[in-house]
Amino acid sequence: MAAQKINEAHEHMAKAEKCLKTSMTKWKPDFDSAASEYAKAAVCFKNAKQYEQAKDAYLKEAEYHTENKTAIEQAGMMMKEQKKMPEAIQYIEKACMMYMENGTPDTAAMALDRAGKLIEPINLEKAVDLYQKAAGVFENEDRLRQAVELLGKASRLLVRLRRLDDAAAALQKEKNMYKEIENYPTCFKKTTAQVLIHLHRGDYVAADKCVRESYSLPGYSGSEDCVAMETLLQGYDEQDEDQVYRVCNSPLLKYMDNDYAKLAISLRVPGGGGKKKKAAAPQGGAGGAPAAAEDEDDYEGGLC
């Protein structure tokens, strides 16, 4: 079966080359027919798992059929099949530029998103770049829902890369977009993620500012998200490891996107090394019992 497909592919390649030849009676090459034959050859090579030859055929198709930008993207996919990811992404990015020039930005953005998914397992930095580019294309087209979804992917990867300053900026942009499309409950979740990032950066002031600014969001003040963040910030400010641990291990935070949940369970107060600061503080003497009683009072009422 593979041998038959390879033979068919070579027949189409030969026909394509014949279409490009000129003669006394044929003054101009037939580029459209050549492109069509190269496309058929590429499919045959692809079915025979001859990915390098399929890539070359797709590039030939793109060369002679300038309106067909997908051929270059398909060449990139052939590189992906050979695990040559950097080359694959180069072709896909080139195709995206051509989509933009051809007036099809949506196609470009979707291709960039696909490229991001391909490269993410091996190069997070490049994936962030591709997702942000795709988000930018959608944003320019006023398609904010698609743009903010891609920004969310980039934000999570920035956290994974520990590029927390960049992650904080990306989250603020996300939050502004969700506010613009009036998706306020998601704004609440983005505020929580922002607080976790700023506390990991050691910037309590920025974390507190995020919560205060969110009071202007309809429904935020007094919400579960708001109360949890107020409790977390109070515990962090007072170096109450018990309170911080309790909020960060609550279902509200533990069931966030995995990258943010990891920030929550790994958060420690400044200077603290253990989970329960107040319980460990008494070292005998008259202060032991009252301190324990204070801890019990702190637990009353849960996160509220």
Side-chain angles (χ1 to χ4, degrees):
M1 180 66 176
Q4 181 184 344
K5 288 295 178 185
I6 292 171
N7 287 335
E8 286 180 27
H10 284 299
E11 288 174 9
H12 287 301
M13 294 290 283
K15 287 179 182 177
E17 289 163 14
K18 185 176 179 180
C19 291
L20 295 173
K21 289 181 178 179
T22 57
S23 66
M24 291 294 292
T25 57
K26 180 187 171 190
W27 292 2
K28 291 184 179 181
D30 185 351
F31 292 130
D32 286 345
S33 297
S36 177
E37 292 298 333
Y38 282 128
K40 293 173 184 176
V43 172
C44 290
F45 280 132
K46 178 182 175 181
N47 290 339
K49 301 189 185 303
Q50 301 298 305
Y51 299 121
E52 186 69 29
Q53 290 170 290
K55 179 261 298 184
D56 290 338
Y58 276 125
L59 291 178
K60 285 286 189 182
E61 178 195 356
E63 181 181 351
Y64 294 112
H65 192 173
T66 54
E67 295 303 311
N68 190 356
K69 316 301 185 238
T70 58
I72 294 179
E73 187 180 352
Q74 285 300 315
M77 298 307 290
M78 295 306 95
M79 292 292 92
K80 172 243 179 183
E81 293 294 340
Q82 296 180 79
K83 313 298 183 191
K84 296 180 179 179
M85 296 308 296
E87 294 94 332
I89 299 306
Q90 285 177 7
Y91 283 122
I92 295 172
E93 284 191 286
K94 182 178 179 181
C96 290
M97 291 298 295
M98 296 174 75
Y99 290 140
M100 293 291 290
E101 292 167 2
N102 200 44
T104 53
D106 285 4
T107 306
M110 289 185 286
L112 287 168
D113 182 22
R114 286 194 293 271
K117 290 173 185 173
L118 287 179
I119 202 72
E120 188 176 318
I122 59 174
N123 189 335
L124 293 180
E125 295 276 2
K126 185 61 180 176
V128 168
D129 176 57
L130 292 166
Y131 289 142
Q132 288 179 331
K133 283 179 179 175
V137 174
F138 276 131
E139 186 180 4
N140 288 338
E141 296 299 305
D142 289 325
R143 295 183 60 180
L144 296 189
R145 284 179 173 80
Q146 289 84 352
V148 77
E149 182 181 340
L150 288 158
L151 277 179
K153 292 182 181 182
S155 299
R156 291 190 291 275
L157 295 187
L158 287 168
V159 169
R160 206 176 303 173
L161 287 163
R162 302 302 293 182
R163 287 172 51 187
L164 297 184
D165 290 353
D166 293 331
L171 267 167
Q172 185 60 49
K173 188 168 185 178
E174 272 189 80
K175 192 166 147 184
N176 291 341
M177 282 192 186
Y178 278 117
K179 185 177 179 181
E180 192 168 342
I181 62 178
E182 299 183 351
N183 185 340
Y184 299 119
T186 303
C187 288
F188 302 171
K189 302 304 179 189
K190 298 305 173 182
T191 297
T192 299
Q194 283 181 305
V195 169
L196 292 170
I197 286 173
H198 286 310
L199 292 182
H200 270 275
R201 293 174 60 243
D203 193 342
Y204 174 88
V205 174
D208 185 60
K209 183 181 177 183
C210 285
V211 174
R212 292 183 183 279
E213 288 178 345
S214 294
Y215 289 148
S216 64
L217 296 171
Y220 184 70
S221 184
S223 67
E224 183 183 20
D225 301 87
C226 176
V227 173
M229 290 304 96
E230 290 172 339
T231 307
L232 175 61
L233 288 171
Q234 179 189 42
Y236 190 90
D237 189 40
E238 296 175 358
Q239 294 190 332
D240 185 339
E241 293 175 2
D242 237 5
Q243 187 161 312
V244 168
Y245 177 86
R246 187 157 43 87
V247 177
C248 287
N249 285 270
S250 66
L252 187 69
L253 273 67
K254 285 179 74 173
Y255 296 119
M256 296 178 73
D257 286 319
N258 195 42
D259 292 297
Y260 300 128
K262 286 180 178 179
L263 287 182
I265 62 177
S266 63
L267 184 64
R268 299 291 181 267
V269 299
K275 180 176 81 175
K276 297 184 178 181
K277 176 180 180 293
K278 286 189 177 180
Q283 299 290 333
E294 282 181 19
D295 277 350
E296 291 175 4
D297 290 341
D298 284 345
Y299 278 79
E300 290 182 4
L303 297 182
C304 297

